[in-house]
């Protein structure tokens, strides 16, 4: 199976096609509904962002609390289309990769193509299994949102399927 | 009369939260296994294998099966010969808090639906029924919202054909598509009032799921369940929505008498991680 890295994604992006299975290593940031709303508002107001979105990967995930002795708790993907209204703004400032579950809007697919980004699916409803691919986790922004805070995750060989490739093609079409 | 202390209820609810979130129901595992055998495609099989691996890891390591540990739904049947010493609802919500804290389960409830705010553990949605006897039965169903968001209700005319009801249910699954974590379990409530039909749809998820050969069924509701299952599984949504024969692994229907002027039908979809645990005091 193809291995990709968040740092090398610029070079690897062109070779990824909707439906390809890959293993991702590198840094991803969790963000779901409320974090997206805040990030999009901050971008519109031109205020500073708590994370650098240039070249960044966002994982639509709100993990459980971390059990003692573990890196992270259960941490599967949440439904991606709820983020659709915020995604174009984030792509515009450099968001490069997204991980979630389910379909994206036509508009998001167009924007993914425009900004040469990529959307991945991962095993939905498998949060316990996916926690095994996270080697480091720390909340870094919007901590007051609890599970909706932004966590910086270091992942190793995190299993993904290309959902929408950089040509805007969707695995669901 | 039999006395039951609120603190016993609190303790039981806490235990049930842990059991439901860590241990996938046996009937669900059985149907996932048969789906794995039925499917031929490698990717479909891989996804089902990941789902089964996930449940094994969760059980072994006391990790939540899914990070969405849900809005806790609690169904209570109180025997009419029971006297509860203390505050029942408070005990249930304290039990939820105890269980969720202990199990590192996610706080996924906001106190104000409009203002939102920082997520907390509860309160649970509590359904109470009074039954005969001197026992108290509690079922905890942590309901994730990826699938809860796909719920639907339609108030049909009383003269409608059963086929139109089937179409509505199938359409609901089509609309959920890949988003609500298929393979699904479908709860259907038919009859009663608008509110009661939606309650029945949720309650239907508590029943064991089964896949019985159609020809052996004489009960018309059981037959309808199996017919729906067969038809929905032709939609080719499949695990993760990436195609396959296993779009649903269970369809359960609950019915209730209704008014001469109507026919409410509600659908409540569950993701493959259908979690519930039962206890009796």
């Amino acid at each position: 199976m193809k291995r990709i890295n968040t740092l090398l994604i610029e070079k690897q992006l062109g070779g990824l096609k909707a439906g390809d299975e890959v293993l991702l290593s590198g840094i991803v940031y969790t963000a779901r509904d409320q974090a997206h709303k805040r990030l999009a508002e901050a971008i519109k107001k031109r205020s500073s962002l708590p994370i650098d979105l240039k070249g960044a990967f966002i994982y639509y995930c709100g993990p459980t609390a971390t059990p003692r002795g573990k890196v992270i708790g259960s941490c599967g993907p949440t439904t991606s289309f709820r983020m659709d209204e915020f995604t174009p703004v984030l792509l515009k400032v450099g968001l490069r990769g997204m991980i979630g579950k389910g379909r994206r809007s036509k508009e998001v697919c167009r924007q993914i193509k425009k900004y040469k980004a990529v959307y991945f699916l991962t095993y939905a409803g498998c949060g316990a299994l996916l926690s095994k691919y996270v080697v480091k986790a720390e909340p870094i922004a919007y901590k007051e949102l609890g599970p909706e805070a932004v966590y910086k995750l270091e992942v190793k060989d995190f299993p993904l399927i290309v959902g929408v490739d950089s040509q805007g093609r969707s695995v669901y079409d | 009369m039999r006395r039951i202390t609120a603190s016993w209820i609190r303790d039981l609810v806490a235990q049930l939260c842990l059991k439901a979130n860590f241990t996938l129901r046996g009937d669900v595992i059985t149907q996932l296994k048969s789906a794995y055998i039925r499917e031929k495609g490698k990717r479909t099989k891989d996804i089902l294998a990941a789902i089964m691996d996930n449940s094994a890891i969760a059980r072994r390591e006391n990790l939540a099966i899914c990070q969405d540990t849900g809005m806790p739904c609690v169904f209570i049947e109180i025997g009419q010969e029971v006297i509860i010493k203390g505050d029942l609802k408070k005990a249930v919500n304290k039990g939820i808090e105890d269980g969720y804290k202990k199990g590192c389960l996610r706080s996924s409830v906001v106190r104000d639906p409009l203002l939102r705010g920082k997520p907390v553990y509860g309160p649970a949605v509590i359904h109470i029924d009074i039954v005969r006897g001197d026992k108290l039965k509690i079922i905890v169903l942590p309901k994730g919202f990826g699938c809860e968001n796909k719920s639907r209700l339609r108030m049909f005319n009383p003269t409608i054909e059963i086929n139109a009801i089937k179409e509505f249910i199938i359409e609901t699954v089509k609309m959920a598509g890949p988003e609500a974590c298929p393979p699904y379990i479908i709860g259907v409530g038919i009859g009663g009032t608008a509110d009661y039909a939606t309650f029945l749809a949720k309650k239907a998820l508590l029943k064991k799921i089964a896949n019985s050969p159609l020809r052996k069924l004489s009960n018309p509701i059981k037959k309808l369940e199996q017919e729906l299952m067969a038809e929905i599984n032709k939609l080719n949504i499949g695990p993760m929505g990436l195609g396959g024969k296993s779009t649903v692994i269970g369809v359960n229907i609950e019915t209730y008498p209704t008014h001469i002027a109507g026919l409410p039908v509600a659908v409540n979809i569950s993701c493959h991680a259908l979690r519930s645990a039962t206890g009796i005091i």
Side-chain angles (χ1 to χ4, degrees):
Chain A
M1 203 175 308
K2 194 184 275 184
R3 285 192 155 78
I4 58 169
N5 193 294
T6 52
L7 289 173
L8 302 173
I9 196 69
E10 300 275 345
K11 286 179 190 159
Q12 297 175 320
L13 200 64
L16 298 178
K17 284 192 179 54
D20 285 357
E21 294 175 24
V22 297
L23 301 173
L24 176 75
S25 297
I27 301 296
V28 302
Y29 298 95
T30 68
R32 41 176 295 146
D33 307 68
Q34 299 301 333
H36 269 78
K37 197 174 172 187
R38 290 191 185 191
L39 287 170
E41 273 167 13
I43 294 165
K44 279 178 194 160
K45 285 186 198 153
R46 295 176 188 280
S47 37
S48 68
L49 297 177
I51 51 172
D52 183 7
L53 283 174
K54 208 162 171 41
F57 271 63
I58 283 183
Y59 179 23
Y60 305 139
C61 171
T64 63
T66 307
R68 192 184 295 241
K70 299 224 181 273
V71 173
I72 194 168
S74 192
C75 59
T78 194
T79 312
S80 306
F81 80 79
R82 294 198 314 272
M83 301 343 132
D84 282 358
E85 63 172 297
F86 307 110
T87 299
V89 183
L90 270 59
L91 285 168
K92 203 173 172 184
V93 295
L95 176 68
R96 186 47 59 99
M98 292 153 278
I99 305 167
K101 68 172 164 104
R103 295 168 288 195
R104 307 306 302 262
S105 69
K106 286 218 163 65
E107 176 59 15
V108 167
C109 293
R110 265 196 297 275
Q111 299 292 325
I112 286 174
K113 185 178 178 184
K114 181 175 171 189
Y115 291 106
K116 292 276 165 279
V118 59
Y119 164 61
F120 296 101
L121 311 171
T122 188
Y123 292 129
C126 297
L129 172 72
L130 292 172
S131 72
K132 302 293 170 196
Y133 302 98
V134 178
V135 290
K136 216 169 153 187
E138 54 168 335
I140 55 157
Y142 307 145
K143 290 178 195 170
E144 65 281 10
L145 292 176
E148 294 210 73
V150 172
Y151 284 73
K152 184 180 181 184
L153 308 183
E154 189 184 332
V155 298
K156 180 145 182 20
D157 292 339
F158 200 91
L160 303 174
I161 298 169
V162 179
V164 180
D165 62 27
S166 59
Q167 296 301 308
R169 289 173 299 214
S170 167
V171 71
Y172 292 118
D173 285 343
Chain B
M1 300 300 277
R2 182 170 165 246
R3 272 173 178 264
I4 290 179
T5 311
S7 67
W8 302 353
I9 296 170
R10 177 175 174 169
D11 293 347
L12 179 60
V13 168
Q15 283 171 31
L16 295 175
C17 289
L18 297 175
K19 190 180 171 200
N21 277 293
F22 295 159
T23 313
L24 193 59
R25 272 167 43 173
D27 56 328
V28 176
I29 293 179
T30 303
Q31 293 308 320
L32 284 168
K33 278 184 187 158
S34 16
Y36 180 85
I37 294 165
R38 212 165 37 236
E39 294 287 357
K40 296 283 174 260
K42 185 186 175 294
R43 188 162 65 190
T44 318
K45 271 190 179 304
D46 285 350
I47 296 167
L48 289 167
I51 292 171
M52 288 188 286
D53 270 2
N54 181 69
S55 74
I57 292 169
R59 190 173 57 242
R60 195 172 60 230
E61 300 189 22
N62 287 346
L63 265 170
I65 294 165
C66 176
Q67 76 289 340
D68 187 354
T69 52
M71 176 123 199
C73 299
V74 181
F75 296 78
I76 307 175
E77 285 178 13
I78 306 172
Q80 56 195 13
E81 289 155 42
V82 168
I83 294 178
I84 295 163
K85 212 174 145 213
D87 187 324
L88 169 67
K89 288 189 178 173
K90 206 168 153 187
V92 169
N93 286 322
K94 286 281 180 197
I96 295 282
E97 210 178 306
D98 294 347
Y100 271 57
K101 251 188 208 156
K102 191 175 175 203
C104 288
L105 306 176
R106 196 176 75 181
S107 47
S108 308
V109 176
V110 284
R111 292 264 179 206
D112 188 306
L114 298 176
L115 301 174
R116 315 302 292 184
K118 187 174 180 173
V120 287
Y121 298 112
V125 171
I126 304 173
H127 299 284
I128 296 172
D129 198 6
I130 309 283
V131 298
R132 291 166 83 104
D134 64 354
K135 301 270 193 292
L136 191 140
K137 182 175 170 185
I138 303 177
I139 306 176
V140 173
L141 170 90
K143 189 63 165 50
F145 253 57
C147 52
E148 187 69 6
N149 280 338
K150 305 297 181 184
S151 310
R152 278 172 96 209
L153 166 74
R154 181 162 293 170
M155 304 301 283
F156 282 99
N157 282 338
T159 48
I160 198 79
E161 299 286 334
I162 286 193
N163 265 344
I165 296 174
K166 278 167 110 176
E167 270 168 34
F168 169 69
I169 297 164
I170 295 167
E171 183 190 66
T172 305
V173 179
K174 264 192 208 164
M175 285 166 75
E179 274 84 45
C181 295
Y184 300 130
I185 298 94
I186 313 294
V188 181
I190 303 179
T193 47
D195 57 324
Y196 204 68
T198 48
F199 162 72
L200 288 178
K202 177 67 81 352
K203 198 180 166 202
L205 295 175
L206 302 177
K207 289 199 295 191
K208 272 191 181 174
I209 53 168
N211 191 352
S212 329
L214 256 177
R215 60 183 187 286
K216 285 190 188 163
L217 297 168
S218 53
N219 178 322
I221 292 298
K222 292 256 168 263
K223 214 166 176 166
L224 184 58
E225 289 173 348
Q226 295 302 319
E227 282 170 10
L228 278 164
M229 194 140 131
E231 285 180 42
I232 294 169
N233 280 337
K234 285 180 195 154
L235 294 176
N236 195 32
I237 295 172
M240 271 178 79
L242 295 173
K245 295 172 195 158
S246 319
T247 301
V248 287
I249 52 168
V251 176
N252 285 344
I253 301 176
E254 287 273 1
T255 65
Y256 195 78
T258 192
H259 191 274
I260 49 172
L263 208 178
V265 178
V267 184
N268 197 283
I269 295 184
S270 171
C271 57
H272 57 75
L274 171 54
R275 294 149 283 172
S276 67
T278 307
I280 295 170
I281 298 177

